[in-house]
Amino acid sequence: MTTVTQMKCACPSCLCVVSLSEAIEKSGKNYCSTACAEGHPNGSGCGHTGCECSK
């Protein structure tokens, strides 16, 4: 049996893959950053290189 340890950030526009041990969990979903978990307040991005999820 295989155990899932990583998954795509739950933010629809985010390209990041997040380790479940480091993910920010909100409402049963896993996010790569606080910005993604909070819906990108003030247009802030996740801060990961190459990801433009707040645009």
Side-chain angles (χ1 to χ4, degrees):
M1 181 160 97
T2 304
T3 301
V4 175
T5 59
Q6 295 183 324
M7 66 186 318
K8 185 199 168 293
C9 176
C11 173
S13 61
C14 188
L15 302 175
C16 296
V17 173
V18 62
S19 169
L20 296 179
S21 64
E22 297 177 12
I24 296 169
E25 187 176 343
K26 183 173 182 181
S27 301
K29 296 181 181 180
N30 294 293
Y31 297 90
C32 70
S33 68
T34 303
C36 285
E38 295 180 356
H40 299 283
N42 305 315
S44 59
C46 69
H48 297 113
T49 304
C51 188
E52 298 180 3
C53 58
S54 65
K55 293 183 179 180

